[in-house]
Amino acid sequence: MASAMAGIEALKGTHQQLKSRMESSVEDFRGHLLSARTGRANVHMLDQIKVDYYGTDTPVAQMGQVSTPEPTLILVQPYDAGMVSAIEKAIRTSGTGLNPMTDGKVIRVPVPPMTEERRKDVVKQLNKTLEDHKTAIRNIRRDGNDQIKKAAKDKLISADDEKRANEEVQQLTDVEIKRIEELFKAKEKEIMTV
């Protein structure tokens, strides 16, 4: 889609800036979807879990090798053997419903089959995350509209240009919100399928 705002000197960078901010919000949502539990083991299930590594909250994936040798098992091999108990504790207290076991060197995280109630809870959590990301995209839209309004107030653009630019920002917002809704629907279907 060719940007009408790109042709307006006062709004040249605005469209690209808004688009990149909205896309980063979509990517953040995609990351949340990857870490959602579906019933099958997935290395991304531990992405949102952070471990206190000498005073710094560090993702589990940066603390060791994470793999899925079986469809119902996640294996974590920490790079620092002294962090085994800290990683195990972080996974256990994360609220994901996972119960890790360790032999002192490797952490095994069995992924139990999900109950119907647990599936609904996961979908409810993802729905809340979806709403948060929709709000973030709408806030980006508001910022863009404020920039356009300021350019019009400063007489840098005409009233027609302002109207076209606002319509373009709304189209961009609609496209990005539709993308995250489609991502959510696909993930919801995957989670609810037994």
Side-chain angles (χ1 to χ4, degrees):
M1 167 174 96
S3 169
M5 290 183 353
I8 304 167
E9 191 61 40
L11 301 175
K12 250 195 177 38
T14 305
H15 180 267
Q16 195 52 44
Q17 175 199 3
L18 295 175
K19 188 166 177 60
S20 68
R21 285 177 61 197
M22 286 183 185
E23 284 175 354
S24 74
S25 188
V26 171
E27 287 309 309
D28 183 59
F29 182 67
R30 186 174 275 133
H32 281 279
L33 290 181
L34 282 174
S35 66
R37 191 167 154 206
T38 59
R40 285 185 59 100
N42 176 347
V43 295
H44 297 291
M45 289 171 69
L46 305 179
D47 284 355
Q48 303 295 324
I49 300 172
K50 306 271 194 272
V51 181
D52 182 25
Y53 186 64
Y54 301 111
T56 306
D57 280 346
T58 309
V60 171
Q62 293 178 14
M63 301 287 297
Q65 174 81 33
V66 181
S67 60
T68 54
E70 300 170 26
T72 59
L73 182 71
I74 300 173
L75 206 61
V76 182
Q77 294 177 304
Y79 301 130
D80 181 351
M83 294 306 295
V84 170
S85 62
I87 294 171
E88 180 186 16
K89 182 179 179 211
I91 294 169
R92 182 169 283 120
T93 60
S94 66
T96 56
L98 299 173
N99 191 16
M101 299 174 288
T102 181
D103 61 7
K105 296 182 182 120
V106 177
I107 302 161
R108 287 177 177 74
V109 186
V111 180
M114 291 175 64
T115 63
E116 187 70 24
E117 184 180 330
R118 181 72 180 141
R119 289 177 195 278
K120 288 178 181 171
D121 284 349
V122 169
V123 169
K124 194 188 293 183
Q125 277 180 322
L126 285 179
N127 199 16
K128 182 184 179 323
T129 306
L130 170 71
E131 290 306 319
D132 292 346
H133 283 78
K134 280 182 176 180
T135 301
I137 290 173
R138 289 184 189 117
N139 288 341
I140 295 167
R141 173 189 62 193
R142 185 195 59 224
D143 294 347
N145 287 341
D146 288 349
Q147 288 176 5
I148 293 165
K149 194 182 294 180
K150 184 178 181 329
K153 185 176 173 236
D154 295 344
K155 304 271 190 257
L156 298 172
I157 60 173
S158 68
D160 287 346
D161 287 342
E162 179 184 8
K163 186 174 187 285
R164 274 194 294 275
N166 281 329
E167 287 170 0
E168 190 173 327
V169 169
Q170 185 58 51
Q171 284 178 341
L172 185 62
T173 304
D174 293 344
V175 165
E176 298 302 333
I177 286 179
K178 188 171 191 267
R179 269 179 61 196
I180 64 173
E181 285 174 341
E182 287 169 357
L183 289 168
F184 171 76
K185 283 181 184 144
K187 190 66 169 190
E188 179 182 32
K189 185 177 178 199
E190 178 186 344
I191 291 169
M192 294 310 287
T193 304
V194 180

